[in-house]
Amino acid sequence: MCFTCRVTEDALTKTQDRRRDAGSVAPAPPVPPGAGTLLRLLRDGRPRTRAELASVTGLARSTVTQRVDALLAGGLIGPAGEAASTGGRPPTTFVFDPGARVVLAADLGATYARLALTDLSGQVLADTAADIEIDRGPTEVLGWVAEHGRALLAEAGRAPEELMGTGIGLPGPVEHDTGRAVNPPIMPGWDGFDVPGFIGGLLPGSVLVDNDVNIMAVGEHFARWSDARHLLFVKVATGIGCGIIADGAVYRGAKGAAGDMGHIQVPHGADVPCRCGNSGCLEAVASGSAIAAALTAQGIEAHGALDVVELARAGGLPVLRALRQAGRDIGEVLAASVNMLNPSIIVIGGSLSQAGDHLLAGVREVIYQRSLPLATEGLSIVSSQVGERAGVIGAAVMVIEHGLAPQRVDALLAG
Ligand SMILES: [Zn+2]
Protein backbone atom coordinates (compact mmCIF):
# COMPACT_ATOMS: atom_id res chain seq x y z
CA MET A 1 0.00 0.00 0.00
CA CYS A 2 1.37 3.40 -0.90
CA PHE A 3 0.69 5.82 1.94
CA THR A 4 0.93 8.88 -0.21
CA CYS A 5 -0.90 7.51 -3.23
CA ARG A 6 -3.71 5.89 -1.33
CA VAL A 7 -6.26 8.46 -2.39
CA THR A 8 -5.36 8.07 -6.06
CA GLU A 9 -5.54 4.29 -5.86
CA ASP A 10 -8.85 4.42 -3.98
CA ALA A 11 -10.19 6.85 -6.55
CA LEU A 12 -9.12 4.50 -9.36
CA THR A 13 -10.87 1.56 -7.67
CA LYS A 14 -14.00 3.65 -7.19
CA THR A 15 -13.99 4.70 -10.86
CA GLN A 16 -13.71 1.06 -11.88
CA ASP A 17 -16.51 0.15 -9.43
CA ARG A 18 -18.72 2.89 -10.88
CA ARG A 19 -18.04 1.61 -14.39
CA ARG A 20 -19.05 -1.86 -13.27
CA ASP A 21 -22.21 -0.46 -11.60
CA ALA A 22 -23.31 1.55 -14.63
CA GLY A 23 -25.52 -1.06 -16.34
CA SER A 24 -26.27 0.94 -19.50
CA VAL A 25 -22.60 1.50 -20.38
CA ALA A 26 -20.47 -1.32 -21.75
CA PRO A 27 -17.82 -2.23 -19.14
CA ALA A 28 -14.38 -0.77 -19.89
CA PRO A 29 -11.70 -3.37 -20.57
CA PRO A 30 -9.53 -3.97 -17.47
CA VAL A 31 -6.29 -2.02 -17.50
CA PRO A 32 -3.45 -4.60 -17.70
CA PRO A 33 -0.94 -4.26 -14.87
CA GLY A 34 2.27 -2.49 -15.91
CA ALA A 35 5.83 -3.16 -14.86
CA GLY A 36 5.20 -1.25 -11.60
CA THR A 37 2.46 -3.68 -10.60
CA LEU A 38 4.77 -6.60 -11.37
CA LEU A 39 7.43 -5.00 -9.16
CA ARG A 40 4.91 -4.66 -6.33
CA LEU A 41 4.45 -8.44 -6.42
CA LEU A 42 8.19 -9.04 -6.40
CA ARG A 43 8.81 -6.69 -3.48
CA ASP A 44 7.98 -9.52 -1.05
CA GLY A 45 11.47 -10.85 -1.84
CA ARG A 46 10.32 -14.21 -3.22
CA PRO A 47 11.98 -15.16 -6.53
CA ARG A 48 9.49 -15.99 -9.30
CA THR A 49 9.74 -17.31 -12.85
CA ARG A 50 8.10 -15.58 -15.84
CA ALA A 51 5.52 -18.39 -15.89
CA GLU A 52 4.62 -17.78 -12.22
CA LEU A 53 4.28 -14.04 -12.85
CA ALA A 54 2.04 -14.75 -15.85
CA SER A 55 -0.14 -17.08 -13.80
CA VAL A 56 -0.48 -14.62 -10.84
CA THR A 57 -1.23 -11.57 -13.01
CA GLY A 58 -3.21 -13.29 -15.77
CA LEU A 59 -0.96 -11.58 -18.34
CA ALA A 60 0.30 -13.21 -21.53
CA ARG A 61 3.83 -14.65 -21.29
CA SER A 62 5.05 -12.19 -23.94
CA THR A 63 3.72 -9.20 -21.92
CA VAL A 64 5.38 -10.50 -18.75
CA THR A 65 8.67 -10.96 -20.61
CA GLN A 66 8.46 -7.37 -21.89
CA ARG A 67 7.86 -6.00 -18.39
CA VAL A 68 10.48 -8.19 -16.72
CA ASP A 69 12.97 -6.91 -19.32
CA ALA A 70 12.01 -3.30 -18.51
CA LEU A 71 12.50 -3.92 -14.76
CA LEU A 72 15.84 -5.64 -15.43
CA ALA A 73 17.00 -2.74 -17.60
CA GLY A 74 15.97 -0.29 -14.86
CA GLY A 75 18.00 -2.34 -12.36
CA LEU A 76 14.98 -2.79 -10.06
CA ILE A 77 15.04 -6.59 -10.26
CA GLY A 78 17.76 -9.10 -10.92
CA PRO A 79 18.03 -12.78 -11.83
CA ALA A 80 17.95 -15.07 -8.78
CA GLY A 81 19.06 -18.43 -10.10
CA GLU A 82 17.04 -21.17 -11.71
CA ALA A 83 13.84 -22.85 -10.61
CA ALA A 84 13.49 -26.65 -10.62
CA SER A 85 13.07 -27.92 -14.18
CA THR A 86 9.87 -29.62 -15.25
CA GLY A 87 11.66 -31.00 -18.30
CA GLY A 88 13.92 -29.01 -20.60
CA ARG A 89 16.02 -26.01 -19.62
CA PRO A 90 15.29 -24.83 -16.02
CA PRO A 91 13.55 -21.42 -16.00
CA THR A 92 15.24 -18.33 -14.53
CA THR A 93 13.72 -16.70 -11.44
CA PHE A 94 13.68 -12.96 -10.78
CA VAL A 95 13.74 -11.04 -7.51
CA PHE A 96 13.42 -7.44 -6.33
CA ASP A 97 16.81 -5.76 -5.86
CA PRO A 98 16.56 -3.51 -2.78
CA GLY A 99 20.02 -2.14 -3.55
CA ALA A 100 18.79 -0.59 -6.82
CA ARG A 101 18.48 2.86 -5.22
CA VAL A 102 19.09 4.43 -1.83
CA VAL A 103 17.01 6.72 0.39
CA LEU A 104 18.07 9.42 2.84
CA ALA A 105 15.98 9.64 6.02
CA ALA A 106 16.08 12.35 8.69
CA ASP A 107 14.37 12.29 12.07
CA LEU A 108 14.67 15.82 13.43
CA GLY A 109 13.76 16.25 17.10
CA ALA A 110 13.69 19.33 19.34
CA THR A 111 17.36 19.00 20.31
CA TYR A 112 18.61 15.91 18.49
CA ALA A 113 18.81 14.79 14.85
CA ARG A 114 19.30 11.32 13.40
CA LEU A 115 20.12 10.69 9.77
CA ALA A 116 20.26 7.36 7.90
CA LEU A 117 20.89 6.09 4.40
CA THR A 118 18.79 3.00 3.63
CA ASP A 119 18.22 0.65 0.73
CA LEU A 120 14.76 0.09 -0.77
CA SER A 121 13.89 -2.47 1.91
CA GLY A 122 14.44 0.07 4.68
CA GLN A 123 17.73 -1.57 5.74
CA VAL A 124 20.08 1.04 7.22
CA LEU A 125 23.35 1.21 5.24
CA ALA A 126 24.97 4.09 7.14
CA ASP A 127 23.79 6.52 9.79
CA THR A 128 24.80 9.41 11.99
CA ALA A 129 23.32 11.55 14.74
CA ALA A 130 24.06 14.88 16.38
CA ASP A 131 22.85 17.27 19.07
CA ILE A 132 21.30 20.00 16.95
CA GLU A 133 18.48 22.27 18.13
CA ILE A 134 15.56 22.63 15.75
CA ASP A 135 15.24 26.31 16.79
CA ARG A 136 18.48 27.12 14.94
CA GLY A 137 16.11 27.47 11.98
CA PRO A 138 15.48 25.61 8.73
CA THR A 139 18.48 26.83 6.72
CA GLU A 140 21.04 25.65 9.27
CA VAL A 141 19.27 22.40 10.25
CA LEU A 142 18.40 21.34 6.68
CA GLY A 143 21.88 22.39 5.53
CA TRP A 144 23.21 19.91 8.11
CA VAL A 145 20.89 17.22 6.67
CA ALA A 146 22.15 17.80 3.10
CA GLU A 147 25.82 18.01 4.07
CA HIS A 148 25.78 14.86 6.21
CA GLY A 149 23.50 13.12 3.69
CA ARG A 150 26.20 13.53 1.07
CA ALA A 151 28.76 12.20 3.57
CA LEU A 152 26.60 9.10 4.19
CA LEU A 153 26.32 8.51 0.43
CA ALA A 154 30.13 8.64 0.17
CA GLU A 155 30.52 6.37 3.21
CA ALA A 156 28.21 3.76 1.60
CA GLY A 157 29.98 4.12 -1.75
CA ARG A 158 26.83 5.38 -3.53
CA ALA A 159 26.53 8.23 -6.05
CA PRO A 160 24.07 11.12 -5.43
CA GLU A 161 22.22 10.08 -8.65
CA GLU A 162 21.29 6.81 -6.92
CA LEU A 163 19.23 8.71 -4.36
CA MET A 164 15.51 7.99 -4.84
CA GLY A 165 14.61 10.76 -2.42
CA THR A 166 14.76 12.21 1.09
CA GLY A 167 12.22 11.67 3.88
CA ILE A 168 12.14 14.11 6.79
CA GLY A 169 10.31 14.02 10.12
CA LEU A 170 9.80 17.34 11.94
CA PRO A 171 8.83 17.82 15.61
CA GLY A 172 5.67 19.80 14.87
CA PRO A 173 2.52 19.86 12.73
CA VAL A 174 3.25 19.42 9.02
CA GLU A 175 1.04 19.94 5.98
CA HIS A 176 2.04 16.69 4.30
CA ASP A 177 0.97 17.67 0.75
CA THR A 178 3.26 20.71 0.66
CA GLY A 179 5.92 19.52 3.14
CA ARG A 180 5.66 22.74 5.13
CA ALA A 181 5.46 23.05 8.93
CA VAL A 182 2.29 24.80 10.11
CA ASN A 183 2.51 27.00 13.23
CA PRO A 184 5.02 24.71 14.93
CA PRO A 185 5.23 25.79 18.59
CA ILE A 186 8.92 24.99 19.21
CA MET A 187 10.33 25.78 15.75
CA PRO A 188 10.93 29.51 15.19
CA GLY A 189 11.54 30.34 11.50
CA TRP A 190 10.00 27.10 10.23
CA ASP A 191 6.36 28.22 9.82
CA GLY A 192 5.50 27.79 6.13
CA PHE A 193 9.14 27.15 5.15
CA ASP A 194 9.41 25.22 1.86
CA VAL A 195 11.34 22.18 3.10
CA PRO A 196 11.04 20.15 -0.18
CA GLY A 197 12.12 23.20 -2.21
CA PHE A 198 15.19 23.79 -0.02
CA ILE A 199 16.36 20.16 0.14
CA GLY A 200 15.45 19.67 -3.55
CA GLY A 201 17.97 22.43 -4.39
CA LEU A 202 20.74 20.52 -2.62
CA LEU A 203 20.01 16.83 -3.24
CA PRO A 204 18.45 14.89 -6.13
CA GLY A 205 15.20 12.93 -5.85
CA SER A 206 11.80 13.57 -4.29
CA VAL A 207 11.45 15.14 -0.82
CA LEU A 208 8.65 14.10 1.54
CA VAL A 209 7.96 15.60 4.96
CA ASP A 210 5.77 14.50 7.84
CA ASN A 211 5.71 15.04 11.58
CA ASP A 212 8.06 12.95 13.69
CA VAL A 213 5.38 10.89 15.41
CA ASN A 214 3.81 9.84 12.10
CA ILE A 215 7.13 8.61 10.74
CA MET A 216 7.83 6.73 14.00
CA ALA A 217 4.41 5.05 13.66
CA VAL A 218 5.25 4.09 10.07
CA GLY A 219 8.69 2.76 11.07
CA GLU A 220 7.35 0.68 13.95
CA HIS A 221 4.47 -0.63 11.82
CA PHE A 222 6.74 -1.50 8.88
CA ALA A 223 9.49 -3.16 10.94
CA ARG A 224 7.44 -5.07 13.53
CA TRP A 225 3.68 -5.01 12.98
CA SER A 226 3.13 -5.04 9.23
CA ASP A 227 0.28 -7.55 9.61
CA ALA A 228 -1.66 -5.16 11.88
CA ARG A 229 -4.03 -2.86 9.97
CA HIS A 230 -4.79 -0.53 12.89
CA LEU A 231 -2.03 0.74 15.17
CA LEU A 232 -1.46 3.71 17.47
CA PHE A 233 2.09 4.84 18.21
CA VAL A 234 2.40 7.14 21.22
CA LYS A 235 5.59 9.12 21.61
CA VAL A 236 6.21 10.13 25.22
CA ALA A 237 9.25 12.38 25.50
CA THR A 238 9.60 16.15 26.05
CA GLY A 239 6.06 16.31 24.60
CA ILE A 240 3.37 13.72 23.85
CA GLY A 241 1.98 12.87 20.40
CA CYS A 242 0.32 9.99 18.64
CA GLY A 243 0.74 8.55 15.12
CA ILE A 244 -2.32 6.75 13.77
CA ILE A 245 -2.11 3.87 11.29
CA ALA A 246 -5.68 3.24 10.08
CA ASP A 247 -6.37 0.47 7.60
CA GLY A 248 -2.64 0.14 6.91
CA ALA A 249 -1.97 3.83 6.12
CA VAL A 250 -1.13 6.96 8.13
CA TYR A 251 -4.26 8.85 9.09
CA ARG A 252 -3.47 12.59 9.10
CA GLY A 253 -6.89 14.22 9.26
CA ALA A 254 -8.04 17.30 7.33
CA LYS A 255 -5.03 19.51 8.15
CA GLY A 256 -2.45 16.99 9.34
CA ALA A 257 -3.28 17.56 13.00
CA ALA A 258 -4.72 14.10 13.74
CA GLY A 259 -3.10 12.39 16.72
CA ASP A 260 -2.10 15.57 18.55
CA MET A 261 -3.18 14.00 21.85
CA GLY A 262 -0.76 16.00 24.02
CA HIS A 263 -3.22 18.90 24.23
CA ILE A 264 -6.31 16.96 25.22
CA GLN A 265 -7.38 17.91 28.72
CA VAL A 266 -7.11 15.42 31.57
CA PRO A 267 -9.53 15.95 34.47
CA HIS A 268 -7.10 16.14 37.41
CA GLY A 269 -4.70 18.56 35.71
CA ALA A 270 -7.21 21.43 35.49
CA ASP A 271 -4.96 24.18 36.92
CA VAL A 272 -1.63 23.15 35.35
CA PRO A 273 -0.68 25.63 32.59
CA CYS A 274 0.51 24.25 29.23
CA ARG A 275 2.86 25.81 26.67
CA CYS A 276 -0.03 25.85 24.16
CA GLY A 277 -1.81 28.51 26.27
CA ASN A 278 -4.50 26.23 27.70
CA SER A 279 -4.31 24.43 31.01
CA GLY A 280 -4.73 20.83 32.08
CA CYS A 281 -3.30 19.36 28.86
CA LEU A 282 -2.00 15.78 28.97
CA GLU A 283 1.45 17.07 27.99
CA ALA A 284 1.44 19.50 30.94
CA VAL A 285 0.99 16.67 33.46
CA ALA A 286 2.46 13.50 31.91
CA SER A 287 5.34 14.40 29.54
CA GLY A 288 9.01 13.97 30.40
CA SER A 289 9.41 17.67 31.06
CA ALA A 290 6.26 17.77 33.24
CA ILE A 291 7.47 14.82 35.34
CA ALA A 292 10.94 16.39 35.64
CA ALA A 293 9.39 19.68 36.85
CA ALA A 294 7.15 17.87 39.37
CA LEU A 295 10.12 15.90 40.74
CA THR A 296 12.24 19.06 41.02
CA ALA A 297 9.43 20.68 43.00
CA GLN A 298 9.67 17.70 45.41
CA GLY A 299 13.41 18.27 45.85
CA ILE A 300 14.57 15.61 43.33
CA GLU A 301 16.50 17.52 40.68
CA ALA A 302 15.61 16.60 37.09
CA HIS A 303 15.93 18.69 33.92
CA GLY A 304 14.05 16.70 31.32
CA ALA A 305 12.89 13.32 30.04
CA LEU A 306 16.40 11.81 29.98
CA ASP A 307 17.00 12.71 33.65
CA VAL A 308 13.67 11.03 34.50
CA VAL A 309 14.84 7.86 32.69
CA GLU A 310 18.12 7.91 34.68
CA LEU A 311 16.30 8.39 37.99
CA ALA A 312 13.84 5.60 37.15
CA ARG A 313 16.71 3.21 36.39
CA ALA A 314 18.16 4.05 39.82
CA GLY A 315 14.82 2.90 41.22
CA GLY A 316 13.69 5.94 43.25
CA LEU A 317 10.14 5.36 44.51
CA PRO A 318 8.80 8.92 43.84
CA VAL A 319 10.00 8.65 40.23
CA LEU A 320 8.40 5.26 39.67
CA ARG A 321 5.17 6.56 41.22
CA ALA A 322 5.24 9.61 38.93
CA LEU A 323 5.77 7.40 35.86
CA ARG A 324 2.89 5.13 36.86
CA GLN A 325 0.58 8.15 37.23
CA ALA A 326 1.76 9.58 33.88
CA GLY A 327 0.90 6.21 32.33
CA ARG A 328 -2.59 6.39 33.85
CA ASP A 329 -3.08 9.94 32.52
CA ILE A 330 -1.98 8.86 29.03
CA GLY A 331 -4.27 5.84 29.39
CA GLU A 332 -7.24 8.13 30.15
CA VAL A 333 -6.85 9.88 26.79
CA LEU A 334 -5.99 6.67 24.94
CA ALA A 335 -9.05 4.86 26.34
CA ALA A 336 -11.27 7.27 24.42
CA SER A 337 -9.14 6.75 21.28
CA VAL A 338 -9.45 2.97 21.66
CA ASN A 339 -13.24 3.28 21.65
CA MET A 340 -13.14 5.65 18.66
CA LEU A 341 -10.55 3.87 16.49
CA ASN A 342 -10.44 0.25 17.71
CA PRO A 343 -6.68 -0.35 17.14
CA SER A 344 -5.21 -3.84 17.58
CA ILE A 345 -1.79 -2.58 18.72
CA ILE A 346 -0.82 0.40 20.86
CA VAL A 347 2.94 1.04 20.91
CA ILE A 348 4.41 3.28 23.60
CA GLY A 349 7.65 4.85 22.35
CA GLY A 350 9.76 7.96 22.86
CA SER A 351 12.53 8.44 25.43
CA LEU A 352 10.28 7.99 28.47
CA SER A 353 9.33 4.49 27.33
CA GLN A 354 12.91 3.48 28.16
CA ALA A 355 12.30 4.17 31.85
CA GLY A 356 11.05 0.65 32.62
CA ASP A 357 7.58 -0.86 32.79
CA HIS A 358 5.85 1.57 35.16
CA LEU A 359 4.64 3.93 32.44
CA LEU A 360 3.34 1.01 30.33
CA ALA A 361 1.69 -0.58 33.39
CA GLY A 362 -0.20 2.67 34.10
CA VAL A 363 -1.38 2.90 30.47
CA ARG A 364 -2.59 -0.73 30.50
CA GLU A 365 -4.31 -0.35 33.86
CA VAL A 366 -6.58 2.47 32.68
CA ILE A 367 -7.23 1.33 29.10
CA TYR A 368 -8.42 -2.15 30.08
CA GLN A 369 -10.57 -0.63 32.81
CA ARG A 370 -12.07 2.22 30.78
CA SER A 371 -12.43 1.03 27.18
CA LEU A 372 -15.28 -1.07 25.86
CA PRO A 373 -14.72 -4.86 26.09
CA LEU A 374 -15.12 -5.36 22.32
CA ALA A 375 -12.49 -2.66 21.64
CA THR A 376 -9.93 -4.22 24.04
CA GLU A 377 -10.51 -7.82 22.89
CA GLY A 378 -7.21 -8.86 21.27
CA LEU A 379 -5.66 -5.41 21.92
CA SER A 380 -1.91 -5.47 22.68
CA ILE A 381 -0.26 -2.55 24.47
CA VAL A 382 3.51 -2.81 24.11
CA SER A 383 6.75 -0.82 24.32
CA SER A 384 8.45 0.23 21.09
CA GLN A 385 10.43 -2.69 19.65
CA VAL A 386 12.33 -0.65 17.07
CA GLY A 387 13.48 2.03 19.51
CA GLU A 388 15.47 5.07 18.42
CA ARG A 389 15.64 4.09 14.72
CA ALA A 390 11.83 3.96 14.28
CA GLY A 391 11.78 7.55 12.96
CA VAL A 392 14.44 7.17 10.27
CA ILE A 393 13.05 3.82 9.14
CA GLY A 394 9.58 5.39 8.85
CA ALA A 395 10.94 8.40 6.93
CA ALA A 396 12.68 6.02 4.51
CA VAL A 397 9.55 3.88 4.08
CA MET A 398 7.53 7.04 3.28
CA VAL A 399 9.90 7.75 0.35
CA ILE A 400 10.13 4.11 -0.77
CA GLU A 401 6.34 3.62 -0.88
CA HIS A 402 6.00 6.88 -2.80
CA GLY A 403 8.82 6.11 -5.26
CA LEU A 404 7.84 2.49 -5.87
CA ALA A 405 4.13 3.18 -6.38
CA PRO A 406 3.29 1.31 -9.63
CA GLN A 407 2.49 4.42 -11.68
CA ARG A 408 5.81 6.08 -10.69
CA VAL A 409 7.78 2.93 -11.54
CA ASP A 410 6.05 2.84 -14.94
CA ALA A 411 6.89 6.51 -15.50
CA LEU A 412 10.50 5.98 -14.39
CA LEU A 413 10.97 3.02 -16.75
CA ALA A 414 9.31 4.92 -19.59
CA GLY A 415 12.12 7.44 -19.13
ZN1 LIG B 1 -1.53 22.19 25.71
Side-chain angles (χ1 to χ4, degrees):
M1 166 66 69
C2 169
F3 297 124
T4 24
C5 305
R6 189 163 172 257
V7 175
T8 315
E9 285 167 10
D10 285 355
L12 277 173
T13 313
K14 278 179 192 145
T15 309
Q16 284 161 4
D17 287 348
R18 271 199 298 274
R19 281 179 182 161
R20 248 174 257 132
D21 294 345
S24 57
V25 182
V31 180
T37 309
L38 223 55
L39 183 69
R40 186 153 67 177
L41 271 176
L42 288 165
R43 280 183 62 198
D44 65 3
R46 191 161 78 75
R48 290 181 180 85
T49 62
R50 291 185 184 91
E52 281 177 284
L53 289 168
S55 127
V56 174
T57 57
L59 291 168
R61 280 288 292 275
S62 54
T63 313
V64 166
T65 299
Q66 206 179 31
R67 285 167 191 179
V68 164
D69 288 349
L71 291 168
L72 282 167
L76 291 168
I77 63 170
E82 291 168 343
S85 170
T86 51
R89 211 177 84 200
T92 307
T93 61
F94 301 95
V95 70
F96 172 54
D97 178 6
R101 301 279 192 286
V102 288
V103 171
L104 184 64
D107 180 11
L108 305 178
T111 58
Y112 191 74
R114 183 174 287 276
L115 196 62
L117 190 75
T118 78
D119 67 11
L120 297 182
S121 68
Q123 191 72 33
V124 175
L125 305 173
D127 66 346
T128 188
D131 292 322
I132 178 164
E133 290 85 19
I134 199 81
D135 63 10
R136 287 199 212 166
T139 309
E140 188 175 338
V141 174
L142 296 174
W144 179 88
V145 168
E147 182 192 336
H148 288 265
R150 277 193 290 268
L152 291 182
L153 280 163
E155 187 185 326
R158 307 299 295 252
E161 299 71 45
E162 294 180 81
L163 195 61
M164 172 178 270
T166 302
I168 297 174
L170 295 177
V174 171
E175 194 178 66
H176 182 64
D177 291 345
T178 62
R180 293 166 193 257
V182 184
N183 297 321
I186 57 163
M187 299 167 63
W190 286 82
D191 187 21
F193 187 83
D194 182 10
V195 177
F198 186 87
I199 289 288
L202 300 171
L203 293 170
S206 54
V207 182
L208 282 94
V209 190
D210 207 336
N211 82 53
D212 59 348
V213 189
N214 282 352
I215 61 164
M216 290 170 92
V218 171
E220 190 82 23
H221 180 250
F222 175 84
R224 289 289 180 275
W225 308 102
S226 56
D227 290 342
R229 303 291 297 161
H230 308 279
L231 173 148
L232 299 180
F233 182 97
V234 185
K235 179 185 178 186
V236 192
T238 305
I240 298 176
C242 178
I244 303 167
I245 303 285
D247 208 11
V250 175
Y251 179 77
R252 298 188 176 84
K255 286 282 177 188
D260 199 355
M261 65 182 276
H263 301 282
I264 295 175
Q265 204 173 44
V266 286
H268 80 88
D271 52 355
V272 185
C274 178
R275 66 189 166 95
C276 73
N278 288 327
S279 59
C281 296
L282 177 64
E283 194 167 296
V285 297
S287 65
S289 35
I291 295 172
L295 289 172
T296 303
Q298 291 172 47
I300 305 164
E301 204 179 329
H303 295 288
L306 294 178
D307 283 357
V308 175
V309 173
E310 289 276 306
L311 289 164
R313 284 181 180 156
L317 200 58
V319 184
L320 301 183
R321 211 178 280 145
L323 281 166
R324 183 90 178 200
Q325 184 54 44
R328 289 189 190 111
D329 293 335
I330 293 165
E332 288 273 349
V333 174
L334 277 175
S337 312
V338 167
N339 285 349
M340 294 283 282
L341 298 169
N342 190 202
S344 58
I345 311 274
I346 294 176
V347 182
I348 307 295
S351 52
L352 223 57
S353 70
Q354 294 158 26
D357 289 337
H358 291 268
L359 185 80
L360 190 65
V363 173
R364 285 180 173 148
E365 181 188 318
V366 174
I367 289 183
Y368 288 122
Q369 191 188 331
R370 297 291 297 273
S371 303
L372 292 168
L374 185 61
T376 52
E377 198 181 297
L379 170 68
S380 300
I381 304 168
V382 298
S383 281
S384 168
Q385 317 271 299
V386 182
E388 56 194 12
R389 275 185 170 176
V392 285
I393 291 173
V397 169
M398 171 169 71
V399 174
I400 295 165
E401 294 298 336
H402 178 262
L404 294 185
Q407 70 272 29
R408 283 195 192 79
V409 171
D410 289 349
L412 177 85
L413 296 177

